[in-house]
Amino acid sequence: MKRPGPLLTLLAGLVLGLFLLTLNATTGTKTASSSYQEKSPSPAPARSAPSTAPTPTPTPSRVPAAAADYAGRTDDDAAAIAVSVRDGKAIAYYCDGHTEESWLKGDVEDDGTLRLTGENGAKLDGTLQDGRRIDGTVTVGGGRHAFAADRAKKPSGLWKATATVRSAKIDGGWIVLKDGSQVGILTRDGKPSPAPRIDPETGAVTVDGQQLTARPATP
């Protein structure tokens, strides 16, 4: 049998190659020599952490001044002074034991500052010192006096009595100091005079032959 010649073999190869190319184009099949690369999936977008607002630092709450009474003397020893504090309010009494006195009142700030006022321009500026005493100044009758009043324990503190005796209006104010001494003024229809001594345990006092009762004064 006669073998096919080289030309015939070459033609057969060309025909087979054309057939394979036509088949690939029709079916979309890639040959091993194709440079096709599968696309990698895109990474999911990273979620940013929710922003957290800074927590404000709480402001320490101020504690109102405790209920207490204070009594002392002015630095020049010209008069005594007493202060009573209750529920953010305060009253004070300035008394020289003879003819000059003044009642003052006002608020106590949360920081312990006192701004009290009275008649005829009287005023008191003071500061509570850790609940142990009050330091400040008091202005009465045009005179300005520095003072220190320590926390008082009964019977020390501020006392007051109001009554009518023999048709006269009686107003009395007393400051009982921690050493037991007393400073007070009694007014009869607006006329001041040194006050008689009270019983610091009961508040009993005799005025013009009539027994009255002085009571602790508070705001």
Side-chain angles (χ1 to χ4, degrees), residues 1 3 11 29 43 74 110 118 158 164 173 189:
M1 178 181 296
R3 293 183 178 179
L11 288 175
T29 303
T74 58
D110 289 345
L158 180 56
T164 300
D189 289 335

PDB file of all heavy atoms in Angstrom, residues 1 3 11 29 43 74 110 118 158 164 173 189:
ATOM      1  N   MET A   1       0.855  -1.189   0.000  1.00  0.00           N
ATOM      2  CA  MET A   1       0.000   0.000   0.000  1.00  0.00           C
ATOM      3  C   MET A   1       0.876   1.217   0.000  1.00  0.00           C
ATOM      4  O   MET A   1       1.859   1.291   0.752  1.00  0.00           O
ATOM      5  CB  MET A   1      -0.939  -0.009   1.217  1.00  0.00           C
ATOM      6  CG  MET A   1      -1.810   1.241   1.272  1.00  0.00           C
ATOM      7  SD  MET A   1      -2.884   1.223   2.719  1.00  0.00           S
ATOM      8  CE  MET A   1      -3.876  -0.215   2.289  1.00  0.00           C
ATOM      9  N   ARG A   3       1.906   4.879   1.103  1.00  0.00           N
ATOM     10  CA  ARG A   3       1.689   5.819   2.206  1.00  0.00           C
ATOM     11  C   ARG A   3       1.377   7.202   1.644  1.00  0.00           C
ATOM     12  O   ARG A   3       1.897   7.599   0.616  1.00  0.00           O
ATOM     13  CB  ARG A   3       2.914   5.889   3.101  1.00  0.00           C
ATOM     14  CG  ARG A   3       3.166   4.583   3.845  1.00  0.00           C
ATOM     15  CD  ARG A   3       4.347   4.796   4.753  1.00  0.00           C
ATOM     16  NE  ARG A   3       4.604   3.564   5.530  1.00  0.00           N
ATOM     17  CZ  ARG A   3       5.591   3.446   6.397  1.00  0.00           C
ATOM     18  NH1 ARG A   3       6.395   4.486   6.606  1.00  0.00           N
ATOM     19  NH2 ARG A   3       5.742   2.304   7.064  1.00  0.00           N
ATOM     20  N   LEU A  11      -1.846  18.944   5.067  1.00  0.00           N
ATOM     21  CA  LEU A  11      -3.196  19.432   4.826  1.00  0.00           C
ATOM     22  C   LEU A  11      -4.165  18.871   5.846  1.00  0.00           C
ATOM     23  O   LEU A  11      -5.057  19.580   6.340  1.00  0.00           O
ATOM     24  CB  LEU A  11      -3.626  19.065   3.393  1.00  0.00           C
ATOM     25  CG  LEU A  11      -2.931  19.857   2.277  1.00  0.00           C
ATOM     26  CD1 LEU A  11      -3.350  19.302   0.907  1.00  0.00           C
ATOM     27  CD2 LEU A  11      -3.276  21.328   2.355  1.00  0.00           C
ATOM     28  N   THR A  29     -15.243  27.481  24.998  1.00  0.00           N
ATOM     29  CA  THR A  29     -14.302  26.738  25.815  1.00  0.00           C
ATOM     30  C   THR A  29     -12.915  27.291  25.636  1.00  0.00           C
ATOM     31  O   THR A  29     -12.491  27.553  24.514  1.00  0.00           O
ATOM     32  CB  THR A  29     -14.311  25.250  25.424  1.00  0.00           C
ATOM     33  OG1 THR A  29     -15.643  24.775  25.569  1.00  0.00           O
ATOM     34  CG2 THR A  29     -13.377  24.465  26.320  1.00  0.00           C
ATOM     35  N   PRO A  43     -13.429  42.566  48.280  1.00  0.00           N
ATOM     36  CA  PRO A  43     -13.618  42.442  49.732  1.00  0.00           C
ATOM     37  C   PRO A  43     -14.781  43.294  50.196  1.00  0.00           C
ATOM     38  O   PRO A  43     -15.024  44.375  49.690  1.00  0.00           O
ATOM     39  CB  PRO A  43     -12.284  42.956  50.297  1.00  0.00           C
ATOM     40  CG  PRO A  43     -11.731  43.837  49.229  1.00  0.00           C
ATOM     41  CD  PRO A  43     -12.189  43.241  47.927  1.00  0.00           C
ATOM     42  N   THR A  74     -16.908  89.818 118.090  1.00  0.00           N
ATOM     43  CA  THR A  74     -16.146  90.538 117.075  1.00  0.00           C
ATOM     44  C   THR A  74     -14.686  90.576 117.504  1.00  0.00           C
ATOM     45  O   THR A  74     -14.363  90.479 118.697  1.00  0.00           O
ATOM     46  CB  THR A  74     -16.684  91.960 116.901  1.00  0.00           C
ATOM     47  OG1 THR A  74     -16.630  92.649 118.154  1.00  0.00           O
ATOM     48  CG2 THR A  74     -18.120  91.936 116.403  1.00  0.00           C
ATOM     49  N   ASP A 110     -24.608  77.295  98.423  1.00  0.00           N
ATOM     50  CA  ASP A 110     -24.120  75.922  98.560  1.00  0.00           C
ATOM     51  C   ASP A 110     -22.626  75.855  98.870  1.00  0.00           C
ATOM     52  O   ASP A 110     -22.147  74.850  99.399  1.00  0.00           O
ATOM     53  CB  ASP A 110     -24.414  75.122  97.283  1.00  0.00           C
ATOM     54  CG  ASP A 110     -25.903  74.825  97.131  1.00  0.00           C
ATOM     55  OD1 ASP A 110     -26.643  74.980  98.132  1.00  0.00           O
ATOM     56  OD2 ASP A 110     -26.325  74.455  96.025  1.00  0.00           O
ATOM     57  N   GLY A 118     -29.802  93.652 107.043  1.00  0.00           N
ATOM     58  CA  GLY A 118     -30.729  94.083 108.075  1.00  0.00           C
ATOM     59  C   GLY A 118     -31.144  95.522 107.854  1.00  0.00           C
ATOM     60  O   GLY A 118     -30.842  96.131 106.813  1.00  0.00           O
ATOM     61  N   LEU A 158     -28.464  81.485 119.929  1.00  0.00           N
ATOM     62  CA  LEU A 158     -29.286  82.679 119.768  1.00  0.00           C
ATOM     63  C   LEU A 158     -30.679  82.461 120.355  1.00  0.00           C
ATOM     64  O   LEU A 158     -31.353  81.460 120.053  1.00  0.00           O
ATOM     65  CB  LEU A 158     -29.378  83.017 118.281  1.00  0.00           C
ATOM     66  CG  LEU A 158     -30.203  84.231 117.865  1.00  0.00           C
ATOM     67  CD1 LEU A 158     -29.715  85.486 118.575  1.00  0.00           C
ATOM     68  CD2 LEU A 158     -30.122  84.407 116.348  1.00  0.00           C
ATOM     69  N   THR A 164     -45.998  91.289 125.340  1.00  0.00           N
ATOM     70  CA  THR A 164     -46.513  92.586 125.788  1.00  0.00           C
ATOM     71  C   THR A 164     -46.608  92.548 127.305  1.00  0.00           C
ATOM     72  O   THR A 164     -47.269  91.660 127.877  1.00  0.00           O
ATOM     73  CB  THR A 164     -47.893  92.880 125.178  1.00  0.00           C
ATOM     74  OG1 THR A 164     -47.782  92.900 123.755  1.00  0.00           O
ATOM     75  CG2 THR A 164     -48.431  94.217 125.664  1.00  0.00           C
ATOM     76  N   GLY A 173     -33.408  90.053 122.744  1.00  0.00           N
ATOM     77  CA  GLY A 173     -32.486  89.175 122.023  1.00  0.00           C
ATOM     78  C   GLY A 173     -31.298  88.866 122.908  1.00  0.00           C
ATOM     79  O   GLY A 173     -30.776  89.759 123.588  1.00  0.00           O
ATOM     80  N   ASP A 189     -41.048  99.142 123.780  1.00  0.00           N
ATOM     81  CA  ASP A 189     -41.603 100.108 122.822  1.00  0.00           C
ATOM     82  C   ASP A 189     -40.495 100.814 122.046  1.00  0.00           C
ATOM     83  O   ASP A 189     -40.528 102.029 121.816  1.00  0.00           O
ATOM     84  CB  ASP A 189     -42.479 101.130 123.543  1.00  0.00           C
ATOM     85  CG  ASP A 189     -43.793 100.519 124.038  1.00  0.00           C
ATOM     86  OD1 ASP A 189     -44.233  99.516 123.444  1.00  0.00           O
ATOM     87  OD2 ASP A 189     -44.360 101.040 125.012  1.00  0.00           O
TER      88      ASP A 189
END
